[in-house]
């Protein structure tokens, strides 16, 4: 869907891959309390999900295919970004009527004959990107495509165009084979799965216990088309779409018990997540429905539908992303309630997604002890309709009172670990100081020239990206190929040039990371970079942007203006961007020139004090240039606005994998670079001299003490003689 988005392009981004198609969710043992001991005993007897073979290799098919260059991975940014005002003016100039929707403009479809079109406004134009979609024919493309079509219609004096006029990007043979293989997988798994109504009661109850859906009726599961894939005990959620409502894909949910207190749920999609745009539950929504509940998982959508009777849909990627391609399907609703879960992360996602959907029609269910996720609320016997009525409007005034903030404050106090952000797994000492990586913050990072700033920050960002943080890289010093090579080496933890036979394996896994690159290189204008960042946040829900480095942002600015004033302006722009878009921005700034034997300080950051003042975190990569042996580098945190903790810890650089690691405490000793002694006799002679000097020092100290004691016992007269 919306394939033209990747073909004609709307942003200067290079996508390494789509988001990971495998997600995990953990549930504590408290969720199992309502379950009977009988089914808990059987749950413990269920083994881990085995690996699939044959036509059932949906969990691993991405790991065995050969590497191929994706022609659609590079997306270009238009020279003049389109605005909603430009779109409206153009439509008026062509005498095309339009309705101003929440996130899209609605116009009559030009791909349907006027005699059958009637008054249907079924073509949707995204206000932010200009992308269009005809819901009746599923024709899609960029704003430039739509303009070309309208110009052709006007020139040929036609009332409509054939849907085949936009053929899109021609598929290569490999892409066609992959698409056909995925379709065969979908059909094979779906035909092999069985409805819950065809299962024996004991087997159906056991499966429901595994997935904590004992309160979900078989009638609800049948209405949504949920099935069971018996070979792996996976739940199968279908994706029906297109004019003929055919099966386009599936999502599978598997359960795996880690220990007696925790069960992990893994999700996999076919096709992979970059091509999976399923609003689960949408086929059950009527054209007359004006209210919908948007959830973060398919099971939550089932719970809302059964508990309230309201239309409910589930986002294909949970709380990590709301693809703009889905916005046209949500335009018909005057009220959209976002109930994405029961934790802080889902609450943050609700506030971000409401901006895309339109603040004036969105209400949010605030998570808390009395407002868990829909499935848990149904299991606990709570009134889901009452929880929905307690939802709060997404739109807010400029001034609020503590009464409005009270629940937010309580939520942060109750979920301190989640509020602290995403934890680093490769840098536990950094997690101990900063507590985590949080959205909406600005981090300033500096270090001496040649100390490894880019290498370190790439591993830092890779650590977060591997945990699902959508990342956008803006590298203006080194090109994207070299940067991707560094990150791939860090990802594989080995030199792949020495193991080329493993390249395809690691490259395929690396593709699954939610990682994107700007295609800029060298000096760039700040406005162009900011437009690209804004577009990436809207399109890919970017959570972390890295800018390497600030000095390259200053090259295209007005040379007549003071460079410090220009730098302050750019820092202020990035600060505002991070706050308004709830996106973490890491800004690399070169330091002033310092002596080699002096450590850098916060004041060493190039420019005025605005950089350190605006930053929430200040990190300095220290390097002792006059010291050899491992441990010459260290990372110092000089500012931490979250809780004030600062500190420094040593780093070891592992050249074989281009990674940094924290050395073992107590075993690291720095030594200065000095001339080595010639032989062992010289070392022994120096040791004897040191011992002799120590003995002489002790004797002198004893003599001085005795003289002082004698002076106290014998007072001295005015002439200096003793009485």
């Amino acid at each position: 869907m919306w394939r033209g988005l990747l073909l004609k392009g709307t942003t200067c981004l290079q996508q390494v891959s789509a988001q990971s198609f495998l997600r995990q969710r953990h549930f504590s043992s408290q969720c199992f309390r309502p379950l009977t001991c009988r089914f808990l005993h059987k749950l413990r007897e269920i083994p881990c999900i085995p690996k699939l073979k044959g036509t059932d290799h949906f969990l691993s098919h991405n790991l065995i295919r050969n590497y191929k260059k994706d022609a659609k991975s590079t997306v270009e940014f238009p020279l003049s970004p389109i605005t909603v005002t430009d779109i409206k003016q153009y439509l008026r100039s062509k005498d095309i009527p339009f309705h101003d929707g929440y996130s899209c403009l609605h116009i009559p479809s030009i791909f349907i004959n006027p005699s059958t079109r009637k008054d249907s406004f079924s073509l949707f134009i995204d206000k932010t990107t200009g992308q269009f979609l005809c819901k009746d024919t599923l024709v899609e493309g960029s704003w430039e495509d739509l303009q070309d079509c309208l110009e052709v219609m006007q020139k040929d004096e036609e009332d409509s165009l054939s849907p085949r006029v936009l053929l899109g990007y021609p598929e290569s043979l490999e892409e066609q084979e992959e698409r056909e293989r995925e379709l065969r997988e979908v059909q094979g798994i779906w035909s092999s799965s069985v409805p819950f109504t065809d299962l024996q009661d004991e087997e159906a109850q056991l499966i429901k216990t595994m997935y904590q859906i004992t309160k979900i009726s078989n009638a609800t599961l049948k209405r949504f088309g949920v099935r069971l894939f018996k070979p792996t005990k996976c739940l199968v959620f279908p994706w029906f779409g297109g004019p003929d409502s055919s099966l386009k894909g599936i999502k599978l949910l598997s359960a795996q018990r880690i220990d007696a207190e925790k069960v992990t749920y893994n999700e996999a999609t076919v096709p992979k997540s970059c091509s999976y745009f399923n609003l689960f539950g949408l086929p059950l929504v009527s054209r007359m429905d004006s209210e919908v509940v948007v959830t973060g998982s398919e099971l939550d959508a089932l719970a809302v539908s059964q508990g309230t009777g309201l239309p409910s849909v589930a986002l294909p990627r949970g709380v990590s992303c709301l693809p703009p391609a889905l916005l046209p399907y949500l335009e018909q609703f005057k009220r959209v309630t976002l109930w994405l879960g029961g934790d802080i992360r889902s609450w943050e996602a609700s506030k971000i997604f409401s901006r895309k959907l339109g603040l004036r029609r969105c209400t949010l269910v605030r998570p808390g002890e009395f407002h868990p996720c829909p499935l848990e609320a149904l299991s606990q016997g709570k009134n889901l309709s009452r929880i929905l009525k307690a939802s709060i409007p997404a739109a807010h005034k400029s001034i609020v009172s503590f009464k409005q903030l009270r629940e937010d404050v309580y939520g942060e106090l109750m979920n301190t670990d989640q509020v602290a952000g995403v934890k680093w797994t490769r840098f536990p000492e950094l997690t101990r100081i900063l507590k985590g990586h949080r959205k909406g913050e600005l981090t300033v990072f500096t270090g001496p020239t040649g100390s490894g700033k880019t290498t370190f920050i790439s591993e830092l960002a890779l650590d977060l990206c591997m945990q699902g943080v959508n990342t956008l890289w803006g590298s203006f010093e080194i090109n994207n190929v070299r940067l991707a090579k560094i990150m791939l080496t860090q990802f594989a933890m080995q030199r792949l040039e020495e193991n080329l036979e493993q390249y395809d394996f690691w490259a395929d896994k690396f593709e699954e990371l939610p990682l994107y690159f700007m295609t800029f290189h060298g000096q760039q204008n700040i406005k162009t970079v900011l437009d690209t960042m804004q577009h990436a946040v809207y399109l890919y829900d970017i959570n972390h942007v890295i800018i390497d480095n600030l000095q390259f942002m200053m090259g295209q600015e007005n040379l007549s203006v003071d460079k410090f004033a220009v730098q302050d302006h750019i820092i202020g722009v990035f600060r505002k961007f991070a706050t308004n878009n709830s996106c973490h921005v890491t800004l690399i700034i070169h330091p002033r020139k310092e002596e080699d034997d002096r450590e850098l300080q916060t004041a060493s950051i190039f420019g005025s004090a605005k950089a350190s003042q605006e930053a929430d975190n200040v990190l300095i990569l220290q390097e002792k240039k006059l010291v050899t042996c491992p441990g010459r580098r260290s990372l110092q945190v000089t500012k931490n606005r979250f809780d004030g903790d600062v500190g420094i810890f040593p780093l070891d650089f592992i050249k074989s994998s281009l990674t940094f690691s924290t050395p073992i405490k107590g075993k690291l000793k720095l030594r200065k670079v000095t001339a080595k002694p010639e032989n062992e006799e010289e070392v022994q002679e120096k040791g004897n001299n040191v011992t002799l000097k120590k003995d002489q020092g002790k004797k002198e100290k004893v003599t001085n003490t005795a003289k002082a004691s004698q002076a106290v016992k014998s007072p001295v007269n005015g002439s200096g003689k003793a009485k």
Side-chain angles (χ1 to χ4, degrees), residues 5 94 110 161 180 201 225 325 452 481 525 568 622 652-653 691:
L5 182 67
K94 298 297 181 181
I110 62 176
L161 292 177
E180 292 175 354
D201 292 341
V481 174
N525 181 274
D568 291 349
Q622 302 284 6
D652 273 345
F653 178 66
T691 304

Side-chain angles (χ1 to χ4, degrees), residues 1-40:
M1 193 177 297
W2 280 35
R3 183 192 299 170
L5 182 67
L6 296 176
L7 310 182
K8 298 298 182 180
T10 53
T11 179
C12 190
L13 302 173
Q14 182 176 356
Q15 179 184 1
V16 163
S17 75
Q19 298 191 14
S20 176
F21 70 102
L22 187 64
R23 294 191 293 123
Q24 294 184 340
R25 293 181 296 163
H26 301 279
F27 294 86
S28 64
S29 59
Q30 296 178 354
C31 302
F32 289 92
R33 291 179 181 176
L35 306 178
T36 61
C37 296
R38 172 190 174 191
F39 290 114
L40 277 177

Side-chain angles (χ1 to χ4, degrees), residues 18-219:
Q19 298 191 14
S20 176
F21 70 102
L22 187 64
R23 294 191 293 123
Q24 294 184 340
R25 293 181 296 163
H26 301 279
F27 294 86
S28 64
S29 59
Q30 296 178 354
C31 302
F32 289 92
R33 291 179 181 176
L35 306 178
T36 61
C37 296
R38 172 190 174 191
F39 290 114
L40 277 177
H41 176 71
K42 292 189 176 183
L43 178 62
R44 294 189 182 98
E45 296 177 352
I46 297 177
C48 297
I49 302 301
K51 293 184 178 179
L52 303 179
K53 299 181 180 180
T55 59
D56 309 324
H57 66 292
F58 56 87
L59 287 179
S60 59
H61 77 282
N62 282 312
L63 301 181
I64 61 175
R65 64 180 181 83
N66 293 328
Y67 168 78
K68 65 177 184 296
K69 184 175 179 61
D70 190 356
K72 304 176 186 177
S73 63
T74 302
V75 201
E76 297 178 354
F77 190 75
L79 297 178
S80 56
I82 191 67
T83 65
V84 65
T85 303
D86 297 332
I87 298 175
K88 290 180 178 179
Q89 289 178 351
Y90 182 83
L91 295 177
R92 291 191 183 102
S93 68
K94 298 297 181 181
D95 295 327
I96 299 177
F98 62 86
H99 291 164
D100 196 348
Y102 299 101
S103 56
C104 299
L105 297 177
H106 313 171
I107 67 172
S109 176
I110 62 176
F111 303 103
I112 301 178
N113 192 290
S115 59
T116 59
R117 182 193 307 165
K118 297 182 180 181
D119 296 329
S120 175
F121 286 69
S122 59
L123 195 149
F124 296 83
I125 306 173
D126 192 290
K127 293 181 179 181
T128 303
T129 64
Q131 300 291 321
F132 75 90
L133 169 68
C134 175
K135 289 178 63 176
D136 292 333
T137 62
L138 295 185
V139 175
E140 57 193 15
S142 67
W143 171 243
E144 290 78 10
D145 293 335
L146 184 59
Q147 285 180 306
D148 293 340
C149 291
L150 293 173
E151 296 294 338
V152 170
M153 287 178 56
Q154 185 178 20
K155 182 179 179 180
D156 297 342
E157 297 181 355
E158 298 286 345
D159 294 329
S160 63
L161 292 177
S162 170
R164 298 182 179 180
V165 70
L166 293 177
L167 297 178
Y169 196 93
E171 289 185 332
S172 65
L173 181 61
E174 291 182 350
E175 290 173 330
Q176 186 176 359
E177 291 177 351
E178 182 177 358
R179 184 168 58 85
E180 292 175 354
R181 186 184 69 247
E182 289 177 341
L183 184 59
R184 289 195 300 269
E185 272 187 302
V186 170
Q187 296 293 346
I189 295 174
W190 181 250
S191 60
S192 301
S193 58
V194 295
F196 272 76
T197 53
D198 295 347
L199 299 176
Q200 296 182 359
D201 292 341
E202 184 175 355
E203 184 180 8
Q205 192 65 23
L206 177 61
I207 296 299
K208 289 184 177 182
T209 302
M210 287 175 57
Y211 294 97
Q212 306 180 51
I213 55 174
T214 53
K215 295 295 182 69
I216 303 294
S217 65
N218 287 345

